[in-house]
Amino acid sequence: MPVPPVSDEILKDVIEALRKNGGNKAAAARDLDIPRATLQSRVETAKSRFKLDDDLLPEGKATHTVIHPPSEDMPVEELIAWRKKQFEKKRAHKEAAKLIDIHIKMDGPIGIVHIGDPHVDDDGTDIALIEEHLKIIKDTKGMYAGNLGDLQNNWIGRLARLYAEQGTTHKQAWQLVEWMMTSVEWLYLVGGNHDAWSGQGDPLNWIMRNRNTAFQYHGARMNLIFPNSKSVRVNARHDFNGHSMWNPAHGPMKAVQGGWRDHILTCGHKHTSFIGGPLKDPASGLLSWAIRCAGYKTFDRYAEDLGLPDQNAFPSVVTIINPIYADDDPRLIHVVPDVEQGADFLKFLRKKAGV
């Protein structure tokens, strides 16, 4: 019995599959789920039946020619070279950011006020106390400011509805943030989770771009180098990993136990306060302080909704560093949970040191 001829529809499907796959016969055969030899036979039949040339066009020359524009894509060789350069820049930044050197240019003791979450635009924030503490810092020689994150509420997405429940607009919030950032000399600034919600085009990056401040999101680890060559390490984060219902400073204390040999480890975020330490490294004798600062949001609707207990004992902490002492000497660092008393003690120590 003779084999029936292949229908025009089947031959047209073969041509379409070949054109779709750029003339690749193996790929076209896979698309049609037929052997490659069968596809080749049908191609020849189609060329004969429909009078097509080798390019599967009607016999004769094409009636037009398309001049394609040059590709807008970077050649792959240039792309690889650019990616290598980009990675090296990121590597250099990350390596340098592991420990940021800060040269202290004044002799004698200094103080650092580790400011807990300001949330400066929130109706429940004690902005008068923020103003008072900033003035003390500005008026006290040798006293620096550091911020542990969450400068403002910075509501975004579904949380943006909360602007309707507070008296300060988003625009006014940025005015208050800029006021804070330009009021005193900041040693460091840590961006918190609320700050990070700004995403690309973050105004905080713009405000801090030319300031003499160690600025990092989530955490900044700093090496303070004093004129007498003494080094004191400060590890400031918005929060440290770890939580305990029994110990509000569990996160930074866990970091010490986990191997971070820093003199001061401090954080905010949870709106609770606690001072842990000094914790002694048995190998080197180094004494570490683990500190959590509650911040200035005195009345917190979120905490009230969840029924969380009030554990705000102090919004900020002053660490006073006297660089004449060794790492294992408890006189190297004093921790004072009150900004005014911390300033008074710093003045006393500086006067005693004759500076």
Side-chain angles (χ1 to χ4, degrees):
M1 179 180 294
V3 177
V6 180
S7 69
D8 288 353
E9 288 73 16
I10 291 176
L11 296 179
K12 289 177 181 178
D13 288 343
V14 168
I15 295 170
E16 180 60 29
L18 268 175
R19 288 174 177 169
K20 174 185 172 184
N21 289 278
N24 188 316
K25 293 178 180 177
R30 284 195 298 270
D31 281 359
L32 295 171
D33 197 23
I34 59 175
R36 181 170 175 173
T38 302
L39 179 124
Q40 180 63 42
S41 173
R42 291 177 181 178
V43 167
E44 296 302 321
T45 302
K47 287 166 66 175
S48 173
R49 186 177 302 179
F50 302 131
K51 301 189 183 302
L52 304 177
D53 61 19
D54 289 338
D55 292 328
L56 302 183
L57 295 171
E59 289 183 353
K61 294 183 179 180
T63 59
H64 69 283
T65 301
V66 176
I67 307 300
H68 294 285
S71 173
E72 63 180 359
D73 296 327
M74 186 186 302
V76 68
E77 294 80 7
E78 292 181 20
L79 177 60
I80 291 171
W82 174 73
R83 291 288 291 111
K84 287 179 180 178
K85 184 177 180 180
Q86 187 182 46
F87 177 78
E88 288 306 320
K89 285 179 69 68
K90 183 175 286 291
R91 187 210 299 271
H93 170 77
K94 293 295 185 183
E95 289 296 324
K98 286 181 179 178
L99 186 63
I100 302 169
D101 284 339
I102 299 177
H103 293 270
I104 304 298
K105 298 181 179 180
M106 63 170 59
D107 293 318
I110 69 164
I112 306 172
V113 182
H114 306 277
I115 294 177
D117 304 22
H119 289 279
V120 72
D121 59 325
D122 196 275
D123 291 354
T125 290
D126 190 346
I127 195 167
L129 187 59
I130 294 177
E131 186 179 36
E132 176 186 330
H133 286 174
L134 292 176
K135 186 177 187 307
I136 292 172
I137 296 167
K138 185 176 182 179
D139 293 344
T140 304
K141 186 176 181 180
M143 183 168 272
Y144 297 90
N147 180 255
L148 297 168
D150 284 358
L151 288 161
Q152 59 165 312
N153 285 331
N154 201 27
W155 304 122
I156 60 166
R158 62 181 179 81
L159 295 176
R161 61 182 172 78
L162 296 177
Y163 277 115
E165 301 180 20
Q166 70 177 51
T168 312
T169 67
H170 198 186
K171 181 179 179 181
Q172 291 170 334
W174 279 112
Q175 286 181 272
L176 293 170
V177 168
E178 188 171 23
W179 160 74
M180 256 195 94
M181 292 299 95
T182 55
S183 294
V184 294
E185 185 174 3
W186 292 88
L187 192 69
Y188 71 84
L189 175 66
V190 171
N193 59 303
H194 283 254
D195 302 311
W197 288 345
S198 292
Q200 295 294 324
D202 181 6
L204 192 56
N205 279 311
W206 178 261
I207 293 171
M208 301 305 298
R209 70 193 187 284
N210 293 322
R211 295 188 64 81
N212 189 28
T213 303
F215 171 51
Q216 296 284 324
Y217 268 99
H218 309 300
R221 187 167 176 258
M222 297 151 283
N223 182 38
L224 309 187
I225 305 171
F226 289 84
N228 66 351
S229 299
K230 175 67 178 178
S231 290
V232 173
R233 291 178 298 281
V234 178
N235 194 341
R237 295 191 57 81
H238 187 53
D239 197 12
F240 285 89
N241 183 42
H243 177 76
S244 168
M245 64 181 292
W246 308 113
N247 179 8
H250 175 74
M253 291 179 75
K254 176 183 175 183
V256 174
Q257 302 291 358
W260 288 104
R261 296 299 176 251
D262 300 316
H263 300 80
I264 299 168
L265 298 91
T266 181
C267 61
H269 183 53
K270 294 182 178 177
H271 300 189
T272 61
S273 45
F274 196 78
I275 298 171
L279 302 170
K280 185 173 182 177
D281 173 27
S284 66
L286 183 142
L287 301 178
S288 297
W289 289 90
I291 305 164
R292 186 180 292 279
C293 301
Y296 294 82
K297 197 172 181 180
T298 305
F299 304 109
D300 188 345
R301 197 197 76 173
Y302 176 76
E304 292 172 357
D305 289 349
L306 295 182
L308 301 177
D310 179 5
Q311 293 184 320
N312 186 340
F314 47 83
S316 299
V317 154
V318 183
T319 53
I320 297 171
I321 304 169
N322 197 338
I324 64 174
Y325 296 109
D327 289 348
D328 60 352
D329 194 317
R331 293 171 294 178
L332 173 64
I333 296 169
H334 289 275
V335 181
V336 184
D338 180 82
V339 175
E340 185 176 5
Q341 287 190 348
D344 290 341
F345 188 44
L346 175 61
K347 291 174 186 176
F348 166 76
L349 289 179
R350 289 187 61 81
K351 183 178 179 180
K352 184 178 179 181
V355 292

